[in-house]
Each structure stands twice: as structure tokens, then as C-alpha cells.
Amino acid sequence: METAEIRRRFLKFFESNGHTVVPSAPLPAIEDPNLLFINAGMVQFVPYFLGQAKPPWDTAASVQKCIRTPDIDEVGKTSRHGTFFQMNGNFSFGDYFKEQAIRYAWDLTTGSVEQGGLGLDGDRIWATVYLDDDEAIDIWHKQIGLPLDRIVRRGQEDNMWSMGIPGPCGPCSELYYDRGPDYGPEGGPEVDEDRYLEFWNLVFMQQERGAGPAKKDYEILGDLPKKNIDTGMGLERMASILQGVDNMYEIDEVRPLIDKASELTGKRYGVSTSHTASESHPDDIRFRVVADHVRSALMLIGDGVVPSNEGRGYVLRRIMRRAIRSVRLLGYDKPALPELLPVARDCMSKSYPELAQDFERISSYAYGEEEAFLKTLKHGTTILDTAVAETKTEGGKTLSGSKAFELHDTYGFPIDLTLEMAEEQGLSVDQEGFRQLMAEQRQRAKADAAARKTGHADLSAYWQLLQDQGPTDWKAYETLETESRVIGILSEGKPVPVAKSGQIVEVVLDRTPFYAESGGQHADAGKLTGPSFFGEVVDVQRPVKKLVVHQVRVLEGELVLDDRVEATVDAEWRLGARQAHSGTHVVHAALREVLGPTALQSGSFNRPGYLRLDFSWRAKLSDETKSEIEEVSNKAVRDDLPVSVKYMSLPEAKDFGAVALFGETYDETVRVVEIGGPWSRELCGGTHVSHSAQIGPLVLTGESSVGSGQRRVEAATGMEAYRYLARERDLVSQIAEEIGAQRGDVLERVRAILQRSKDAERELAGLQAKLVSGRAAEFAQNAKQVGAVKVAAVQAPEGTKGGDVRNLAMQIRGHLPEDQPGVAAVVATAGGKASIVVAANAAAKAQHVSAAALVKAALSGKGGGNDDVAQGGGVPADQAPQLLDAVVRAIGA
Ligand code: ATP
Ligand code: MG
């Protein structure tokens, strides 16, 4: 049975049993600062389980895209761990519980294929339950009829489920399938988890856990308001069972990638004869890593993650690099992703058609990243080789931790790569030192994250407010001023009753006209005023959905909980914000008009007067292209296109052709902003002008690269654009005045002036050289007798250039009598340093007076040249006279 078919049957089964089918949340877990990626089907429902929000349905089912970063290292070595996988889940929010959950799972898995089931043999199914969960044992045994010897009690680590972090948890019951003696010894899941494959976990979610280790020994905080059901069936694991393959990398959605990699590398997959993944040949493991990681990268980029050096982007980068490196170890050293990624797309677009539509954008990130990494590999390899050679010459056997860290940090060299390559050259690596430095870096990153805007990673105070007071009555689209009541004051994340003058606190109002930073639009500025209070709003965020939090600096009086205040947005600010945000849409549409539809925005930011927009594009934009984008933008402004806002469902919006920005989560109803109808259609919650002419002039002020395959344009809008142009105009006026030209002639005049100055310099240099050489005879004349040698020791005239110093030395030598040993020594100073040139004649050489030896004597061993002519330098300028003295002394000696 195809994976897509299992998925379809699952959803159909639960839908026909009254469940609402809910789409998968995007992989990046944006709402939860404790989690990088969604790692289970229940994550998007956490507030419902905790009772912080009311679920719109009593029961639901989904197929959730998941990433589990802790499982990356297992990939290929077990039969059942993918980085990316899909979790089929059914959920009950206080509706049915244990008995019905077990019944559903059993009926779907063992139900006949003809009647929509999955058709597994019930006699091969085992169940585990939490230690003292006798109720679950009873259900399995008495109602389902599972024999007691196939029901196993297990402890907290295995059968008390949580997300690994504070949140809902509960005892669980897992379903295992016995794959038979080919896969390992008999005895149930306790004995062998490869033969007995866990495919479904039923969580009886009824408690809340606190901080502590991920899997056991954490604190149970108490009961949840209701008893819930959360289940997870591994779609890939079920597919591997139903398709009769050894592991999840050999199912229909993944195997074609292995085959393609095998075709590219010329290596055969399946070298090992064992069915057990852990006994595989290293090449087989590599094939699986390639397949898993390429597919995972596709899904991640598809959901808006882009490679970077931190957070989610770093996970993506890491798995892409592991994939690329593994392909190379299998023996293929050309770019592999252009071959592999389309295969992954074809496998996955049955269930995720958007991947095919969006493939241009996805692949441009992936290919760009591979290109960059191949360069990194080349460059890093040189650095590594040098470090290895150095370590060896010093007699060391271990590459230092700091070198390994530098390779990792600066060149993006993964540590396993460093280990492997160092080992090939007979060195080990100080892993302890490396880990120490990594830990320090992580600490720094943590501190950074903690200081980030939304403040406290612990969102409980916000959730509490939302629960007690309900969502903020948000008026940003309607008005700039509201009468509001202060319903919460937080200081450093903790509720306080009052804020005093000088304090900066977070303030929650029952109603607000302030726009909270989102969708790239900067937060509004403004003020709060009460009868005896005045405060400035310095930032506005929405740390949890539907709760607007103002960061307020108290300037006068006291702000007390329950006070009535007037909340006022700075009108000038908001106008600027609207201009800049509409301007961003205009520039985006202009980019796509000029460059084509693949120039898709990947991020943006705007505040009054300024906007920037990042988009997928490989090459630097030419000056003509930039002008064209600017012109298209300004024409759209001139045409005074109407700006309109429509509300619709997400699928409707997609059909409507609205551009969805990746990495954002959208509610069921989305807001579509149009400028000039279909010309610009974007999902957007921002504030906009009502006609495009209100944006005012739009001027591109910058264009640059931001990482592989990404460019950034920056622009000024409204009054700021006018001021930008006015400044440029004034600059031209000032230049014109300075050079005494008409504005229209400035460029020509500047060119002429530059040409003249170049000519003059050349002439001056010629004159100087002549002047200097003209004095050569005079310098020779004044030569002193030192023993048998005539020595002309000369300080070159101010401004003599490097080449001229040498010429001067040789010319002086030419003027010294030939029949007598003669030496010319010339010092010159430039840039704060002194240098020396020494020239010796043939008679001097015959007396064993060597120019090179004399320079070395003056510069304590440094300098270069031969017996005829030699030079050196680099000492401080004020030592120039000493250099000459040293030469004279050396000749005398
Ligand atoms: P395991 O112990 O095998 O790692 P788990 O206990 O971590 O599994 P759960 O957290 O209970 O798994 O997840 C629910 C289901 O999701 C599992 O029963 C399994 O079918 C599937 N699953 C979990 N992790 C992965 C993974 N890395 N790749 C594929 N499927 C997975
Ligand atoms: Mg696991």
C-alpha cells in the first residue's frame, strides 16, 4: 500500500468517526520559543490540552509533518528513525478517552483492506502500557482480546509521554508489530525494538509536566483541566510494515532517492545481507542518510526554512551538509542535489502538491547551499591540511580543539568531517577542547536569545493574562486612539500592581490601537496617558496569539493596574509605516514583474521611511535592472492604484493567487491585501495606505547579497525618499559650486580635473626622479674614505619613491671611481618606515665587500639581495641615520 494511500485511509477513518481533519502546521514551531520544529502531531494543540484556549472542535485528526533533531544521529543505523517523518494522529479534547482511543487504533490497523482498514494481522501486535495502568491492560485484554503475554508494562522513560519539555503529558500505550525472526530475537519490545516495531503511540494525556530531563525524573505539576487523547502513528513505519521492506528508508516515498544515489555513485545499495539496520555496511547507512536528509531538506525549505548559521536554519544547513558529504564519501564529487532533489519532489508531491509548484524557489536555496558548501570543503580542506602539517612538524599527534572549532565556526566544517579527515592523516582531535568551545558558544547564543524582543522564553504570564482577561480588543485597523483599561503590568516577566516613573514595563490593555510588530512591519510608536500618568510606548509585540503587549517607559507619575488610560498612536509614525509597508508590496510586485515569478520574497522589514526586502535571486542586479525596478515601482505609485483588503480562507487565498510568505502561520481566515487588483496580492496583516499614490516617491537605496541565493533591496519611501533625493541634489550643488561648474557640466568637469591631476602627478614624479639622479654626481663627490673603501652614505631627498631609491644608489655607484673599492648606501623614509639600498662596485667586491652583507649588518640579519645590490627595511623612520652609521661601521671593521 502506498504511503499516500495509508495517509488517506487514516484521515478518512477518523473523519467518518466524527473527527475534524486539521491541516499540518508548518514545520518551524514559530509559536513556541522552546521548540525549533514541530516534533509531534499534538504540538499545534498544546494550548487546548493545557486549557489555555478553547478548542474549536471536540475531536480532530491530522497528518503532521515532524522533524526530530535528536534522531538525526540514528538515521540509517536503526530501521525506524527519520529526521523528517509524518505523524498521523487523532485527538480528543475532553471528549472520548482510553477505551475509545484503543478501540479506534485496533479497528483501523486490523480492519480489512477492502473495508478501508490497514489489514495488519492482529496476532502479531503487541501492546505496552504504563507501569500501573491496569485500566489499559483490562481494555486490551478483556475488550480487544489481546492475550496477556503480549501486553507489557514499562516505566516512565518509555510509557510516560511528553514533548521532552514542560507541557502536557500522560501515560501511554504503544502498539508494536512483530516483524518475525528475520529481524531479531523473540521476547517482545523489551528484548528487541527492531524486530518489534513501534508504530503507534496512544497518549492518555491528563497531566502537566515541569522542567527536568526529557524522558524521565521530571516533576509532574498536576492534572490537566480535562482528560484528553493524543495519538501518533508513524506513517513511514506503517508503510514499511505494509510494503514489506526492512526499514523506513526503503518505502515508496524514500527508496527512489537511494536508487538515484546508487546510480550517481555507481555503488550498490544493500551490500549487507542482514535485515537489521544496525548490522549494515557503512555504505548502506550512507545511502539512507542521503535519502533521509535530502527529503528532510526539501520539506524544511518547502516550509520556509532557509540555510543559516543559527537555529532552524542551522539544522537545515547541517543535514544538507551531511547529505552532500555522504554522497561524496560514496564516490560522487559533482553537485548532487540537482540530481537528487527533483527525485524527492516527485516522491513527496503526491501528498504535498505545493512542493512541485514551489520547486523553483526551494531548489534555488538548495543548489546555492550545495555550491557554497563545496567551496567551503575545498577551502576548509586547505586550512585543515595546513593545521595538520603544523601539528606534525611540532611533533604533535592531536589537532587542537581550537583549530577544530575554528574550522567549524569560520568555515562551517562539521566536526565529524574534521575527525575523519584528521584521522586519514594519522592525527586525533582534541574533542574535549572542541566541545568546551562549542558549549561556550552555545551559552552566548542562549544569552542572545534570552535578550531577544519578546523577552521571556517562559510565556506562562502571557498565557495566564490571555486566559483571565481574554484576547486584546485590537483596533489597529480602525483607529489611532482608544480609551483603554490597564489589565496587566509585567516587570521582567512577572505581574506587578504598579509601575513607577523611570521604569520600563510591559503593559497589557483591554483594547489597543497599536500595531504589534509582525509580518515585517515595525511596531507602532505612541503614548499612554492617564489622569496622573504619562508613558511612552517603545515597542509592541504579540508574544502569544491574540495578546498585544506594549513596552512602556513611564515618564511621569505612576501606572496602576486597572487605571483608565488613553492609548494614542503617533499619527505621523503610522502614516510613515503605512507608506513603507505598501511600498514593500509595490517593490515586491515590481521585482516579480522585472525579474520573473521566481524572485520570491523570503523576508522583509519596514518602518516609517524605510523598507528592505530579501528575495531569492542568484546574481547581483545590474544598474539597468535596478532602475527598471525603481521605475515600475514609481509608475505603480503614479497610477494611484486602489489598495483593498479581503478576508477569505487560506485555500481560497491560494486559489486567488495570493503570495503567502513562508515561515508565517496563518489563522483559518486570512487577510489578503491587493494593490491594483491582481498586480499585487499578498497575505498580509499589516497597515496600508488606501491608494498607492499616498506612498509617495520610492527610491532604491541599496542592493546587496545576504547569504547564498539571496539578495536584499533597500528603499526609502514617502518624505524620507524625498529627503534622500534632496540630499543627493544638494550634494551635486555643493560639488558644482566647489569646482566652479554648472550642475549639468559637473561630471565632465570632475573627469577633466581628475585627468589633470593624474598628468600633474606623473610629471612631478618624472621631475623628482631627474632631480634625484642629477644629484648623484654630487653625492659621489662627497663620498668619504673608510679604510680602503670610498663610501657615499646618503639620505635620499624627501619624497623619493622606492624604485628611485634603488636607481639613485646605482647612479651614485656609477660616479664613484672604478679603480677603487666603492660603496653607495642610500636610506629613504616613507610611511613611518625607513629602508636602505646598498650598491657595491666591482673593486669593492674584489675586496670581499658585499652589498647583501652590509644590509644584513645594518638590519640585524634581515634584508635581501646579492653582492652587487641589496636592500631591506621595515624599521622605524627615525632609525634611518643609524642604518647608514651601521653600514659605515661594517665597512670599517
Ligand atoms: P522511538 O522510541 O522508536 O524513537 P518514540 O517513542 O520517540 O519512538 P513517539 O514520540 O511516541 O515515538 O512518536 C509517535 C510515533 O511516531 C511513534 O510510534 C513512531 O511510529 C513515530 N516516530 C517517532 N519518531 C520517529 C522518527 N524519528 N521517524 C519516524 N517515525 C517516528
Ligand atoms: Mg524517539
Side-chain angles (χ1 to χ4, degrees):
M1 198 183 289
E2 279 194 351
T3 306
E5 175 62 14
I6 303 172
R7 169 196 164 91
R8 203 188 56 76
R9 282 178 184 237
F10 180 90
L11 292 176
K12 181 122 185 285
F13 176 84
F14 283 102
E15 199 173 21
S16 63
N17 281 299
H19 292 64
T20 303
V21 172
V22 178
S24 172
L27 284 169
I30 308 227
E31 300 273 316
D32 192 335
N34 294 310
L35 211 57
L36 283 182
F37 297 108
I38 304 273
N39 61 4
M42 51 77 71
V43 174
Q44 64 168 327
F45 304 125
V46 168
Y48 305 149
F49 290 128
L50 292 175
Q52 288 165 339
K54 204 182 124 31
W57 344 267
D58 293 333
T59 59
S62 69
V63 175
Q64 174 65 50
K65 298 180 257 187
C66 297
I67 293 275
R68 287 197 179 173
T69 48
D71 287 347
I72 291 181
D73 293 322
E74 305 291 335
V75 169
K77 299 178 197 154
T78 75
S79 58
R80 61 184 202 282
H81 288 106
T83 310
F84 168 83
F85 68 98
Q86 298 153 88
M87 197 188 285
N88 295 8
N90 55 294
F91 307 92
S92 153
F93 310 107
D95 192 80
Y96 61 83
F97 198 50
K98 244 179 241 189
E99 190 181 329
Q100 187 61 47
I102 291 177
R103 172 61 64 191
Y104 279 145
W106 182 262
D107 286 353
L108 175 61
T109 19
T110 60
S112 76
V113 174
E114 297 73 43
Q115 281 166 13
L118 298 176
L120 281 196
D121 176 4
D123 291 343
R124 298 176 79 163
I125 292 178
W126 289 59
T128 62
V129 300
Y130 184 57
L131 286 180
D132 57 0
D133 193 352
D134 294 332
E135 193 190 345
I137 294 197
D138 267 5
I139 300 170
W140 277 118
H141 182 53
K142 298 202 177 125
Q143 303 196 23
I144 303 290
L146 206 65
L148 283 174
D149 58 4
R150 278 194 279 131
I151 306 175
V152 186
R153 293 177 194 261
R154 294 181 96 176
Q156 193 181 27
E157 188 166 1
D158 294 299
N159 278 55
M160 178 59 97
W161 195 92
S162 78
M163 284 155 70
I165 53 173
C169 70
C172 64
S173 179
E174 297 169 327
L175 284 78
Y176 287 76
Y177 183 77
D178 178 2
R179 304 200 289 163
D182 277 355
Y183 293 89
E186 211 149 311
E190 285 281 270
V191 173
D192 191 322
E193 294 218 8
D194 216 39
R195 166 167 173 175
Y196 298 90
L197 180 67
E198 175 194 336
F199 63 89
W200 203 337
N201 191 356
L202 315 176
V203 184
F204 313 126
M205 196 156 273
Q206 48 192 329
Q207 287 149 330
E208 185 172 352
R209 64 159 283 181
K215 289 217 160 186
K216 59 174 187 183
D217 301 335
Y218 47 79
E219 197 188 352
I220 301 286
L221 301 176
D223 284 343
L224 295 175
K226 287 181 175 164
K227 289 183 171 177
N228 309 291
I229 287 297
D230 150 37
T231 86
M233 177 181 103
L235 180 56
E236 288 77 2
R237 292 192 190 176
M238 182 53 85
S240 70
I241 295 171
L242 293 179
Q243 294 173 12
V245 292
D246 284 345
N247 53 61
M248 67 164 277
Y249 321 100
E250 295 175 12
I251 65 168
D252 59 335
E253 280 188 350
V254 192
R255 174 71 196 229
L257 277 159
I258 292 184
D259 294 338
K260 184 72 193 183
S262 160
E263 180 193 318
L264 291 178
T265 59
K267 287 237 163 75
R268 200 163 62 84
Y269 173 72
V271 180
S272 355
T273 45
S274 167
H275 291 287
T276 314
S278 57
E279 291 163 7
S280 297
H281 187 279
D283 277 351
D284 284 350
I285 296 178
R286 283 181 189 131
F287 274 117
R288 295 178 197 135
V289 166
V290 172
D292 170 88
H293 286 13
V294 170
R295 181 170 89 128
S296 304
L298 171 79
M299 300 309 293
L300 278 170
I301 307 176
D303 270 358
V305 180
V306 296
S308 78
N309 275 335
E310 53 177 33
R312 304 185 176 99
Y314 186 66
V315 174
L316 171 61
R317 175 160 282 171
R318 180 160 162 240
I319 61 173
M320 288 182 68
R321 291 182 167 187
R322 275 174 52 118
I324 294 162
R325 170 80 179 146
S326 300
V327 178
R328 289 170 75 81
L329 287 174
L330 285 168
Y332 184 73
D333 56 10
K334 290 201 266 298
L337 290 179
E339 307 288 337
L340 294 169
L341 203 65
V343 178
R345 172 200 59 201
D346 295 344
C347 289
M348 296 308 291
S349 47
K350 254 186 226 138
S351 294
Y352 304 95
E354 65 273 18
L355 293 170
Q357 285 158 25
D358 202 18
F359 193 66
E360 281 271 357
R361 182 189 67 87
I362 298 172
S363 57
S364 92
Y365 279 111
Y367 302 164
E369 180 67 11
E370 180 171 35
E371 260 170 46
F373 182 53
L374 292 182
K375 270 191 213 138
T376 298
L377 266 180
K378 219 164 131 191
H379 195 58
T381 307
T382 322
I383 308 280
L384 181 83
D385 288 346
T386 318
V388 166
E390 266 170 29
T391 311
K392 282 186 176 164
T393 23
E394 285 159 15
K397 294 222 168 308
T398 315
L399 194 70
S400 73
S402 64
K403 227 345 146 212
F405 180 74
E406 182 197 328
L407 274 161
H408 169 84
D409 200 46
T410 316
Y411 302 101
F413 237 52
I415 180 71
D416 50 350
L417 191 55
T418 306
L419 287 176
E420 208 166 295
M421 293 176 64
E423 194 188 336
E424 280 162 17
Q425 306 200 47
L427 286 189
S428 62
V429 178
D430 171 16
Q431 292 193 60
E432 191 41 52
F434 172 79
R435 265 194 292 273
Q436 179 65 34
L437 291 165
M438 282 299 285
E440 283 166 22
Q441 191 197 40
R442 225 167 290 141
Q443 209 48 47
R444 284 195 298 273
K446 253 200 201 149
D448 284 355
R452 265 209 313 251
K453 274 197 173 164
T454 33
H456 325 282
D458 176 9
L459 301 178
S460 51
Y462 305 121
W463 282 116
Q464 195 61 48
L465 269 168
L466 186 62
Q467 194 174 359
D468 297 346
Q469 308 278 354
T472 310
D473 183 10
W474 191 57
K475 299 288 190 196
Y477 296 149
E478 291 141 58
T479 177
L480 295 178
E481 209 170 290
T482 60
E483 296 286 333
S484 310
R485 197 164 62 83
V486 178
I487 58 175
I489 307 176
L490 301 176
S491 177
E492 284 161 12
K494 301 264 177 311
V496 292
V498 52
K500 295 198 164 53
S501 179
Q503 261 187 297
I504 294 186
V505 288
E506 289 178 299
V507 177
V508 180
L509 304 172
D510 61 345
R511 165 179 316 123
T512 184
F514 279 89
Y515 185 87
E517 174 173 343
S518 67
Q521 182 175 333
H522 193 286
D524 274 336
K527 59 191 186 200
L528 302 185
T529 26
S532 59
F533 158 82
F534 179 64
E536 181 192 2
V537 175
V538 290
D539 192 13
V540 190
Q541 298 288 329
R542 208 165 23 196
V544 297
K545 253 188 193 166
K546 301 194 172 146
L547 190 79
V548 177
V549 178
H550 312 75
Q551 199 176 23
V552 177
R553 182 183 289 123
V554 182
L555 295 173
E556 276 172 41
E558 277 186 359
L559 182 67
V560 182
L561 200 60
D562 240 16
D563 268 359
R564 305 224 150 252
V565 292
E566 223 162 78
T568 321
V569 175
D570 181 333
E572 185 69 17
W573 174 283
R574 174 65 80 75
L575 175 62
R578 290 162 63 210
Q579 292 177 310
H581 202 151
S582 299
T584 311
H585 288 208
V586 164
V587 171
H588 188 202
L591 274 173
R592 286 156 61 81
E593 185 174 321
V594 174
L595 300 175
T598 58
L600 203 56
Q601 175 178 333
S602 55
S604 73
F605 174 74
N606 59 81
R607 60 172 149 72
Y610 170 84
L611 68 89
R612 69 162 185 254
L613 197 144
D614 298 344
F615 60 104
S616 339
W617 197 254
R618 300 262 200 98
K620 184 174 160 54
L621 302 186
S622 69
D623 285 345
E624 296 85 73
T625 309
K626 279 187 283 189
S627 302
E628 205 182 330
I629 292 164
E630 206 172 42
E631 187 155 323
V632 170
S633 302
N634 281 286
K635 275 192 181 140
V637 170
R638 179 210 56 191
D639 291 343
D640 200 17
L641 305 168
V643 180
S644 64
V645 172
K646 294 190 172 77
Y647 290 87
M648 55 187 80
S649 75
L650 187 55
E652 274 169 346
K654 282 191 176 152
D655 289 345
F656 195 53
V659 181
L661 298 188
F662 289 86
E664 306 257 337
T665 42
Y666 296 103
D667 292 327
E668 310 229 297
T669 311
V670 295
R671 186 170 182 261
V672 177
V673 175
E674 289 184 321
I675 301 178
W679 186 67
S680 161
R681 231 170 223 170
E682 297 196 20
L683 297 197
C684 176
T687 60
H688 288 271
V689 297
S690 56
H691 276 83
S692 63
Q694 292 163 352
I695 296 170
L698 224 158
V699 183
L700 290 196
T701 55
E703 193 266 341
S704 53
S705 155
V706 276
S708 64
Q710 289 297 297
R711 312 280 317 168
R712 166 174 294 177
V713 287
E714 291 172 283
T717 52
M719 286 303 285
E720 208 40 63
Y722 153 73
R723 285 188 201 111
Y724 180 89
L725 292 176
R727 275 197 302 274
E728 302 268 296
R729 178 201 59 202
D730 292 349
L731 191 63
V732 174
S733 299
Q734 281 164 17
I735 295 171
E737 195 170 331
E738 198 70 32
I739 60 177
Q742 294 295 317
R743 290 176 56 89
D745 302 335
V746 165
L747 188 59
E748 208 176 309
R749 276 297 280 280
V750 168
R751 282 197 186 122
I753 291 170
L754 283 177
Q755 188 57 47
R756 241 188 299 156
S757 112
K758 235 184 257 160
D759 291 347
E761 266 168 35
R762 205 176 307 127
E763 210 170 317
L764 192 65
L767 285 174
Q768 222 147 25
K770 261 195 210 142
L771 207 64
V772 167
S773 61
R775 294 185 63 189
E778 177 195 334
F779 287 134
Q781 207 83 69
N782 294 340
K784 286 199 205 69
Q785 195 67 41
V786 181
V789 187
K790 260 208 181 305
V791 182
V794 172
Q795 172 107 34
E798 194 72 33
T800 313
K801 300 236 167 55
D804 294 339
V805 179
R806 193 177 163 90
N807 281 341
L808 179 60
M810 316 245 287
Q811 281 170 8
I812 297 173
R813 180 181 62 181
H815 287 285
L816 290 172
E818 269 173 41
D819 52 356
Q820 202 186 336
V823 168
V826 181
V827 292
T829 56
K833 298 279 183 214
S835 60
I836 181 163
V837 178
V838 173
N841 68 6
K845 276 195 295 175
Q847 301 283 328
H848 305 293
V849 176
S850 148
L854 291 175
V855 167
K856 287 209 159 69
L859 288 169
S860 16
K862 278 187 274 177
N866 51 32
D867 293 345
D868 279 329
V869 188
Q871 64 282 315
V875 297
D878 58 2
Q879 287 179 22
Q882 280 99 299
L883 292 182
L884 289 179
D885 290 350
V887 169
V888 171
R889 238 178 299 122
I891 294 170

